[in-house]
Amino acid sequence: MPQQEERILQANNRRFNSLFEYPDNSIKTSKYSFFNFLPVNLFEQFQRLANAYFLILLFLQLIPQISSLAWYTTVIPLIVVLSITGVKDAIDDVVKWLPGLPSLHLKRHQSDQQVNNRSVLILVNGRIEENKWRNVQVGDIIKLENDHPVTADVLLLSSSEPYGLTYIETADLDGETNLKVKQAVSATSDMEDNLELLSAFNGEVRCEPPNNKLDRFSGTLSYLGDTYFLDYERLLLRGCIIRNTDWCYGLVVYTGPDTKLMQNSGRSTFKRTHIDHLMNVLVLWIFMLLGGMCFLLSIGHGIWESNRGYHFQAFLPWERYITSSAASSALAFWSYFIVLNTMVPISLYVSVEIIRLGNSYYINWDRKMFYAPKNTPAQARTTTLNEELGQVEYVFSDKTGTLTENVMIFNKCSINGKTYGYSYDENGQCVPKSPSNKVDFSYNHLADPKFSFYDKTLVEAVKSEDPLVYLFFLCLSLCHTVMSEEKVEGELVYQAQSPDEGALVTASRNFGFVFHSRTPETITVIEMGRVRVYRLLAILDFSNERKRMSVIVQTPEDRVMLFCKGADTIIYELLHPSCAALSDVTMDQLDDFASEGLRTLMVAYRELDKAFFQTWIKKHGEAWLTLENREKKLALVYEEIERDLVLLGATAIEDKLQSGVPETIVTLNKAKIKIWVLTGDKQETAVNIAYSCRIFKDEMDAVFMVEGTDRETVLEELRTARKKMKPESLLESDPINIYLARKSKMPFKAVDEVPNGSYGLVISGCSLAYALESNTEFELLRTACMCKGVVCCRMTPLQKAQVVDLVKRYKKVVTLAIGDGANDIGMIKAAHIGVGISGQEGMQATLSSDFSFCQFRYLQRLLLVHGRWSYNRMCKFLSYFFYKNFAFTLVHFWYAFFNGFSAQTVYDIWFITFYNLIYTSLPILGLSLFEKDVNETWSLCYPELYEPGQHNLYFNKKEFIKCLLHGIYSSFVLFFVPMGTVFNSERSDGKDISDFQSFSLLVQTTLIWVMTMQIALSTTYWTMINHAFTWGSLGLYFCILFLLCSDGLCLMFPSVFNFLGVARNGLNQPQMWLCLVLSSVLCLIPLMGYNFLKPILWPINVDKVLNRIHFCLKHPLPPPVQIKVKHPGLRRSAYAFSHKQGFGALITSGKTLKSRAFTRR
């Protein structure tokens, strides 16, 4: 389907809409089907270079002129490898973790069917019919009911609420549980649930094509000759839940894969680890080495045939197709290409997949990452990224629902200079909070049972009718935009646009000032059991610029009062001079609150003169009706009345961090992992949380704020910050600038720069728009990467992905993104590793993630334990795997100089077939699945152990060269020591044993013995399974050897099994065992010497840490005293009632008031 420029649709007209071939509403998340699995999977597998190589090799082996090995030596391993990988891919595609059913694994196809077959009510020919989600089409009108998910992206036409309002929860989309309100199109809101009017509706919609922008929508509706502008406030997105609305009708605009939800959770690109990329490079190196060896040996073959073979034809006649030594040399090249094929390890990739699968199950089975309250374990949703977890350098985290629980708790307050919120015993001594000290609110039958407070003196102050305490809680119960609902008598349910407001109103409710209900003109409060109705005269709504809100009410005593709450830095400037002393005391208390990471607000009031108010309200009305610069004029009017305020006190709300977040971040910082917070939240809130969870610290030298609104300003702010952190970085003579000047090609690897102190950076989404431009993005990167912590706020989902991609492109390091909402999907997919939090919020991020769990604190265990172990195991596996293949294969190279370069193999054909498949596979798998250099406790106590993975120290090109050299040396020993042993040798009875089969048996037995000793020396953590795999494989070799050399097999199939009696006759000779011991010692001495000398002569940081651990194991220390991480801080205001304009205008307009037409609820 061609790219759409705009979408056109007509309501109730399927024939017209079908002309545009819009997709239906069904979704498909599975990759394979029953019919395409085999061809698609085989196509994908043969895209791997090694698999394609062995397929070509198989065809070469079918050519008798060059085949020096039987075809089954390649077919059997290739089929095994393809089968195991295919089964693994099928399992990965078929099974997924279904949200909401943590103990149940369902097939993707089953899950798709469940969603596609949900019921929906569709308007058809004037009647409501029940149908399936999959059958919904663009242009249909559907009915949505309370607490039901939205079927598709629909244009809101009408609802059960006045003025066509509909309340929705968008947790699955943006990770926020607070309610949002949508309003129906004005042209259709009066249709309500009149099916006749809705069926006759034939409006035409023109809107933007499908896209993944969750917070944007634009279009027009043409109906009855009029055109109406459509925006995001009229659109209900698939994945939202209808709340507090009996029903609503909507026109389907986007369906199935076109919905914004599916556009954000589309098919992920295949992620490959750094080790995968490295293995591909190394396989190419091996190819080149293999080609060079084949070329060299073919030249040797040509020379030998010219000098010896030509004159030796009486004994070894040439084949008819060989006309010259040059022709024979060309054939020898391909013969050696087949003989030396094990240089390219066919079982490498499948072994890697098995190791990753096993390490993935360790994550799934980890009970310490199991979240009991939700009965949800950690889940490795992919099996291809385990070792990448041990190499992370940058973590990009969402804030709401990821670092925090998105639960606000009224923690403390200050009223008239006195602090409340600490727990005291009978002697008046401050003690830790405990359930026994919890305030009993049973005297208040309207109290919220979930609310907890531990300072009984505040209850006593309320009961004593202290006038300032009375005004304080009266302000909290009046100054807000919360909606109240009483579905069951005596049970109030508050719907707040932000959790902050909900916490404050709930607190005033429990202390006896119960916000009960509101109309556009009144607010009803139950004060200590008495019902009082306040007349609402005006709401001075919150905005990001004002950072405060006020209400003006007329009390039952006919007093006009203004109540105001807002950011402490703002309210402080508006106080009456008489409050100076009290404000200083309150500010000190706010510092104490902020040091605990609490979000602070100031509360104040003013009693207004009626004449003054009447004059002011006229100005307010004129400003409200102004069309030009209305917001600016309203702000000026608000300033006239919001002055000379009398301070009542301050509140301290705990934006409850998830358990263990500060400790986790401190631990990750010790592991040299940098953490950036990427959030759509406002700056004050984001910075406050950054301090609370220790991303920012007060001992930092500076925290830079980048708030420019144009490119030049942003660039100047970034350079100013960089100048302070590293003044020489702006000089042309700086080594890094010289390095950058030489790198003309973009992008290149950005070099790490060390600042002269500890710094943080805060940048807003508006400034990011300019900072992420191509000519400024590197400046942003240099500045941000020198900071200990970075907070990016007010970001769009696209900007989150762009920031992650920026670090990926220039730093060339492993990145991890963690979030919980659909607005985090972009960065989760952009990062090397995506982690979804399946906690309080929606599950969309989890469904697009590579790993998921319920709590942020599990991240340290995922990285420092599972990630580190996986990386170490993979590196040991690769080092050993390449080494054993080099030692095995290169023996043929030395043998070529003694067999006339004839491409004859040293080993028995069956040994070649079973070497990688059986004899050496289990020991290395045992090592790769169970190896632990230190246990999980030490891994968490010493995060510095994580550093080698970040720099890829344990397996890289240098380590590969070491494996190659070690393999060359071992192959030399494995060939020449047995050669010297059997050369001109005889048994004790005088019979000659200097034959090819005895030599072959000795070489392969010595090889297996040496490989077993190598794996034993590499193992530091022995289990019963390791012992069984290691020594069992050695025993299995001898069992199979005696079977293959047995009289029965060799007599039944003499052409296939031709080593008759060799094992029985060869292994009973003492010189054979002496050769085996001598070869083993010579092969192991370099490894043992290197492992002994390396930490002494060339130590790295991790060697010193391991020495400390070993010392501690020998000399146990007393258990450490647990010290809670403290959160010292400066006062940080965090007025965060909403991300946008509040509900004030909506309340005073009367649109939230139930009309008589809707009395049936």
Side-chain angles (χ1 to χ4, degrees):
M1 184 174 172
Q3 184 70 32
Q4 302 176 32
E5 292 185 1
E6 74 173 350
R7 171 159 293 206
I8 304 173
L9 60 107
Q10 193 173 79
N12 294 313
N13 192 341
R14 284 195 171 188
R15 179 177 297 179
F16 173 80
N17 297 326
S18 65
L19 298 176
F20 301 96
E21 299 181 358
Y22 298 133
D24 61 25
N25 201 41
S26 61
I27 61 169
K28 178 174 180 277
T29 60
S30 57
K31 182 179 182 181
Y32 302 113
S33 69
F34 177 80
F35 299 102
N36 73 2
F37 171 75
L38 195 60
V40 171
N41 186 257
L42 286 177
F43 175 76
E44 290 177 344
Q45 289 204 57
F46 282 117
Q47 286 182 320
R48 285 179 169 169
L49 203 56
N51 290 346
Y53 162 77
F54 277 94
L55 183 64
I56 295 170
L57 187 71
L58 175 61
F59 290 122
L60 291 175
Q61 285 181 292
L62 297 177
I63 303 174
Q65 288 82 356
I66 62 173
S67 179
S68 49
L69 289 175
W71 59 271
Y72 50 79
T73 60
T74 297
V75 167
I76 293 174
L78 183 61
I79 290 176
V80 171
V81 166
L82 295 177
S83 300
I84 292 175
T85 306
V87 170
K88 180 257 177 190
D89 290 343
I91 292 172
D92 270 356
D93 183 64
V94 165
V95 176
K96 82 171 180 180
W97 195 260
L98 191 67
L101 299 174
S103 61
L104 183 64
H105 285 77
L106 291 180
K107 294 182 178 180
R108 286 184 186 267
H109 302 276
Q110 243 181 308
S111 176
D112 291 345
Q113 288 297 319
Q114 283 187 358
V115 173
N116 293 332
N117 290 324
R118 287 176 179 171
S119 296
V120 63
L121 300 176
I122 305 179
L123 180 62
V124 180
N125 297 325
R127 293 182 298 108
I128 293 293
E129 296 182 0
E130 186 172 332
N131 210 319
K132 299 183 185 301
W133 275 33
R134 69 190 318 152
N135 297 326
V136 172
Q137 296 184 18
V138 171
D140 288 350
I141 292 179
I142 60 176
K143 180 180 181 180
L144 301 169
E145 297 180 321
N146 192 36
D147 295 331
H148 281 62
V150 178
T151 309
D153 290 355
V154 301
L155 182 66
L156 184 58
L157 299 179
S158 63
S159 80
S160 60
E161 305 304 297
Y163 294 89
L165 298 180
T166 296
Y167 298 96
I168 59 170
E169 182 182 284
T170 60
D172 274 356
L173 292 175
D174 57 16
E176 296 179 14
T177 53
N178 50 290
L179 290 188
K180 295 179 174 61
V181 63
K182 300 286 185 175
Q183 187 171 13
V185 181
S186 58
T188 60
S189 60
D190 292 337
M191 293 181 183
E192 298 178 352
D193 58 350
N194 188 318
L195 300 185
E196 183 178 346
L197 293 176
L198 289 168
S199 298
F201 175 63
N202 63 351
E204 183 177 285
V205 173
R206 291 176 177 265
C207 61
E208 60 191 19
N211 59 71
N212 63 356
K213 296 175 181 176
L214 290 170
D215 56 350
R216 292 183 184 177
F217 175 73
S218 63
T220 58
L221 168 65
S222 300
Y223 180 55
L224 299 179
D226 293 324
T227 300
Y228 303 87
F229 175 73
L230 305 177
D231 59 13
Y232 178 70
E233 301 302 322
R234 308 287 182 263
L235 193 68
L236 302 180
L237 301 183
R238 178 172 180 150
C240 298
I241 307 293
I242 304 296
R243 299 293 190 200
N244 296 349
T245 306
D246 286 341
W247 50 261
C248 65
Y249 286 87
L251 171 65
V252 176
V253 178
Y254 303 114
T255 50
D258 287 347
T259 59
K260 291 184 181 290
L261 178 65
M262 295 305 295
Q263 290 280 312
N264 272 284
S265 56
R267 184 170 298 177
S268 300
T269 56
F270 179 66
K271 293 183 178 181
R272 303 179 67 186
T273 67
H274 282 62
I275 284 183
D276 279 331
H277 291 290
L278 177 61
M279 283 195 298
N280 283 340
V281 172
L282 298 182
V283 167
L284 285 175
W285 284 14
I286 293 173
F287 271 129
M288 290 188 288
L289 178 62
L290 174 61
M293 290 171 57
C294 292
F295 180 72
L296 181 64
L297 294 174
S298 67
I299 292 176
H301 176 85
I303 294 173
W304 190 91
E305 288 289 355
S306 297
N307 297 338
R308 300 284 185 89
Y310 180 80
H311 305 288
F312 209 61
Q313 293 187 61
F315 301 97
L316 287 175
W318 285 357
E319 299 289 348
R320 291 192 305 273
Y321 51 80
I322 298 178
T323 58
S324 65
S325 60
S328 181
S329 176
L331 293 175
F333 176 88
W334 294 108
S335 296
Y336 270 113
F337 194 78
I338 294 172
V339 169
L340 301 177
N341 73 80
T342 46
M343 283 282 286
V344 180
I346 186 173
S347 58
L348 172 64
Y349 290 106
V350 71
S351 300
V352 165
E353 296 298 338
I354 293 173
I355 294 166
R356 287 171 172 168
L357 183 64
N359 286 320
S360 296
Y361 277 108
Y362 289 150
I363 295 172
N364 298 344
W365 295 337
D366 191 342
R367 295 197 62 83
K368 293 184 179 179
M369 295 172 70
F370 177 81
Y371 190 59
K374 284 189 169 287
N375 193 33
T376 304
Q379 177 73 7
R381 297 176 56 80
T382 181
T383 59
T384 59
L385 300 174
N386 299 83
E387 70 274 8
E388 198 95 320
L389 291 170
Q391 299 179 273
V392 174
E393 285 195 47
Y394 283 83
V395 170
F396 302 93
S397 175
D398 179 40
K399 183 189 73 68
T400 305
T402 303
L403 298 176
T404 70
E405 292 184 359
N406 200 26
V407 175
M408 305 297 176
I409 298 174
F410 184 85
N411 191 287
K412 293 179 177 66
C413 66
S414 167
I415 305 176
N416 194 30
K418 183 177 180 181
T419 300
Y420 299 93
Y422 295 99
S423 182
Y424 300 94
D425 60 12
E426 295 80 2
N427 300 321
Q429 298 296 316
C430 187
V431 296
K433 295 177 180 178
S434 66
S436 60
N437 298 329
K438 188 176 177 180
V439 172
D440 182 10
F441 290 107
S442 59
Y443 68 88
N444 180 2
H445 71 280
L446 291 175
D448 185 342
K450 298 188 290 293
F451 179 82
S452 299
F453 202 74
Y454 299 89
D455 190 350
K456 299 176 183 178
T457 60
L458 184 55
V459 176
E460 295 169 0
V462 172
K463 290 181 177 179
S464 68
E465 298 185 356
D466 184 310
L468 290 177
V469 174
Y470 173 89
L471 285 173
F472 178 85
F473 282 110
L474 182 60
C475 176
L476 297 185
S477 63
L478 293 173
C479 186
H480 57 79
T481 58
V482 172
M483 309 291 186
S484 174
E485 189 173 15
E486 191 174 11
K487 291 187 175 181
V488 180
E489 187 175 354
E491 293 185 13
L492 289 173
V493 178
Y494 292 151
Q495 301 295 347
Q497 198 181 11
S498 79
D500 302 62
E501 283 209 307
L504 293 175
V505 176
T506 299
S508 66
R509 166 184 175 177
N510 276 60
F511 283 103
F513 293 77
V514 183
F515 164 64
H516 185 268
S517 61
R518 68 163 74 247
T519 71
E521 295 86 20
T522 64
I523 299 176
T524 302
V525 179
I526 302 176
E527 300 174 7
M528 302 302 290
R530 295 174 299 162
V531 178
R532 289 170 61 84
V533 179
Y534 292 84
R535 184 183 174 195
L536 181 60
L537 302 177
I539 294 181
L540 285 59
D541 206 359
F542 164 81
S543 72
N544 287 324
E545 292 75 26
R546 285 166 37 75
K547 298 181 183 178
R548 63 188 183 275
M549 78 161 290
S550 301
V551 295
I552 302 175
V553 297
Q554 186 176 15
T555 69
E557 293 80 19
D558 200 29
R559 297 165 62 192
V560 178
M561 305 287 290
L562 179 145
F563 293 100
C564 180
K565 65 182 179 185
D568 39 43
T569 53
I570 301 297
I571 301 297
Y572 182 83
E573 302 297 329
L574 304 177
L575 296 177
H576 192 275
S578 62
C579 299
L582 176 59
S583 63
D584 289 341
V585 173
T586 305
M587 283 295 187
D588 290 338
Q589 294 166 338
L590 288 173
D591 289 340
D592 295 335
F593 295 158
S595 69
E596 300 176 40
L598 303 177
R599 302 169 63 161
T600 57
L601 289 174
M602 267 191 175
V603 179
Y605 82 101
R606 177 187 179 188
E607 185 167 357
L608 302 175
D609 178 73
K610 290 184 179 180
F612 170 75
F613 173 73
Q614 291 300 327
T615 303
W616 179 87
I617 199 67
K618 290 180 182 178
K619 294 181 180 179
H620 177 267
E622 293 171 358
W624 181 260
L625 296 174
T626 302
L627 297 178
E628 295 182 5
N629 298 322
R630 186 173 70 167
E631 288 76 13
K632 184 177 180 180
K633 292 180 180 179
L634 279 174
L636 293 174
V637 173
Y638 291 165
E639 288 179 6
E640 288 185 23
I641 203 167
E642 289 176 327
R643 55 185 176 82
D644 294 335
L645 303 179
V646 178
L647 180 62
L648 290 171
T651 63
I653 295 176
E654 181 183 0
D655 185 1
K656 193 169 178 60
L657 290 175
Q658 289 187 14
S659 175
V661 167
E663 292 80 3
T664 298
I665 289 175
V666 168
T667 301
L668 294 179
N669 284 335
K670 288 180 181 177
K672 297 186 178 178
I673 297 174
K674 290 188 176 182
I675 300 175
W676 294 14
V677 177
L678 311 183
T679 178
D681 210 342
K682 58 198 290 289
Q683 180 172 306
E684 292 86 349
T685 310
V687 171
N688 196 31
I689 291 298
Y691 276 101
S692 299
C693 61
R694 306 292 285 159
I695 292 174
F696 287 166
K697 302 174 184 177
D698 288 306
E699 54 267 29
M700 281 183 166
D701 296 286
V703 175
F704 304 110
M705 301 286 181
V706 178
E707 301 173 312
T709 56
D710 57 75
R711 193 184 70 84
E712 289 73 20
T713 306
V714 170
L715 189 60
E716 182 60 31
E717 289 176 334
L718 290 172
R719 285 181 174 168
T720 301
R722 184 155 62 90
K723 182 178 180 180
K724 184 169 182 179
M725 289 188 287
K726 188 182 178 186
E728 63 272 20
S729 67
L730 295 178
L731 302 176
E732 293 183 4
S733 58
D734 181 54
I736 294 179
N737 288 332
I738 296 173
Y739 165 80
L740 295 176
R742 295 172 181 169
K743 298 287 183 179
S744 57
K745 187 177 180 181
M746 304 279 280
F748 45 81
K749 183 176 180 180
V751 182
D752 290 334
E753 299 183 71
V754 181
N756 55 18
S758 177
Y759 300 93
L761 177 69
V762 179
I763 183 169
S764 67
C766 177
S767 301
L768 265 176
Y770 299 102
L772 289 172
E773 292 179 358
S774 58
N775 50 357
T776 55
E777 63 177 8
F778 191 70
E779 187 67 41
L780 168 66
L781 183 83
R782 288 187 70 181
T783 304
C785 289
M786 279 196 278
C787 297
K788 294 288 186 183
V790 177
V791 173
C792 303
C793 48
R794 308 295 292 172
M795 299 183 74
T796 65
L798 177 62
Q799 286 178 327
K800 290 185 178 185
Q802 287 175 329
V803 169
V804 174
D805 183 65
L806 177 67
V807 175
K808 277 178 62 178
R809 281 187 289 123
Y810 285 105
K811 298 298 290 185
K812 312 295 184 186
V813 295
V814 178
T815 58
L816 180 147
I818 179 169
D820 67 324
N823 57 342
D824 301 317
I825 290 175
M827 70 173 182
I828 284 174
K829 288 184 176 181
H832 294 100
I833 303 168
V835 178
I837 296 289
S838 51
Q840 294 277 355
E841 317 303 346
M843 299 295 295
Q844 291 307 313
T846 299
L847 297 178
S848 298
S849 65
D850 305 306
F851 301 89
S852 67
F853 41 73
C854 282
Q855 295 284 291
F856 182 86
R857 68 176 183 271
Y858 298 152
L859 182 62
Q860 65 175 324
R861 189 169 179 83
L862 181 72
L863 299 183
L864 304 185
V865 178
H866 294 287
R868 183 177 169 277
W869 282 348
S870 295
Y871 172 74
N872 288 359
R873 290 164 180 166
M874 185 62 70
C875 292
K876 279 194 173 184
F877 163 78
L878 292 173
S879 297
Y880 174 80
F881 197 94
F882 283 117
Y883 161 72
K884 75 181 181 69
N885 273 53
F886 291 147
F888 167 70
T889 306
L890 291 175
V891 171
H892 292 297
F893 181 81
W894 306 117
Y895 185 47
F897 292 90
F898 294 86
N899 65 16
F901 303 94
S902 61
Q904 183 184 9
T905 58
V906 177
Y907 312 110
D908 173 31
I909 295 296
W910 288 104
F911 180 80
I912 295 174
T913 304
F914 292 152
Y915 177 73
N916 277 320
L917 207 59
I918 297 176
Y919 298 148
T920 59
S921 60
L922 288 180
I924 186 56
L925 283 178
L927 173 75
S928 305
L929 291 174
F930 302 105
E931 176 67 1
K932 300 176 184 177
D933 57 345
V934 295
N935 62 31
E936 60 189 60
T937 303
W938 294 114
S939 295
L940 294 172
C941 287
Y942 290 94
E944 300 89 342
L945 290 169
Y946 190 77
E947 187 178 352
Q950 294 172 321
H951 302 291
N952 200 20
L953 297 180
Y954 289 161
F955 189 78
N956 48 43
K957 294 174 183 176
K958 182 179 177 181
E959 293 298 318
F960 174 78
I961 297 298
K962 291 179 184 177
C963 293
L964 176 59
L965 295 176
H966 189 197
I968 293 172
Y969 168 78
S970 296
S971 68
F972 185 88
V973 171
L974 290 169
F975 177 80
F976 284 101
V977 171
M979 172 66 78
T981 301
V982 302
F983 186 71
N984 288 334
S985 296
E986 57 184 32
R987 300 193 313 185
S988 56
D989 57 4
K991 292 183 178 181
D992 185 28
I993 59 171
S994 184
D995 63 276
F996 165 74
Q997 291 189 341
S998 297
F999 171 68
S1000 175
L1001 173 70
L1002 181 56
V1003 171
Q1004 64 190 41
T1005 303
T1006 305
L1007 173 66
I1008 291 297
W1009 191 268
V1010 168
M1011 292 304 112
T1012 303
M1013 293 300 104
Q1014 288 277 2
I1015 201 72
L1017 284 175
S1018 299
T1019 303
T1020 57
Y1021 183 77
W1022 285 93
T1023 65
M1024 290 301 295
I1025 297 176
N1026 286 92
H1027 282 294
F1029 281 2
T1030 303
W1031 311 119
S1033 292
L1034 185 61
L1036 182 64
Y1037 162 73
F1038 285 105
C1039 292
I1040 294 176
L1041 176 65
F1042 280 104
L1043 175 65
L1044 296 178
C1045 297
S1046 63
D1047 297 348
L1049 276 180
C1050 292
L1051 293 176
M1052 289 175 61
F1053 307 101
S1055 61
V1056 179
F1057 304 99
N1058 46 31
F1059 273 51
L1060 176 63
V1062 175
R1064 183 173 61 251
N1065 296 327
L1067 293 181
N1068 62 4
Q1069 301 304 311
Q1071 60 263 45
M1072 295 289 192
W1073 292 102
L1074 179 62
C1075 169
L1076 188 148
V1077 172
L1078 179 61
S1079 298
S1080 299
V1081 171
L1082 290 175
C1083 287
L1084 295 177
I1085 282 177
L1087 177 67
M1088 297 173 66
Y1090 178 77
N1091 289 339
F1092 176 76
L1093 294 174
K1094 181 176 176 290
I1096 298 174
L1097 302 179
W1098 311 285
I1100 57 176
N1101 289 338
V1102 71
D1103 293 325
K1104 300 173 184 177
V1105 175
L1106 289 172
N1107 288 336
R1108 289 208 304 269
I1109 292 174
H1110 295 149
F1111 178 83
C1112 292
L1113 289 173
K1114 294 177 182 177
H1115 308 86
L1117 298 173
V1121 178
Q1122 294 293 326
I1123 301 176
K1124 185 178 179 181
V1125 176
K1126 297 182 179 179
H1127 314 293
L1130 300 174
R1131 177 168 47 81
R1132 293 178 294 275
S1133 173
Y1135 191 99
F1137 285 158
S1138 66
H1139 293 182
K1140 57 184 179 181
Q1141 192 73 16
F1143 277 154
L1146 194 59
I1147 291 170
T1148 55
S1149 69
K1151 293 179 181 179
T1152 59
L1153 179 64
K1154 298 277 186 182
S1155 68
R1156 294 182 181 179
F1158 309 101
T1159 56
R1160 58 178 174 272
R1161 179 183 290 186

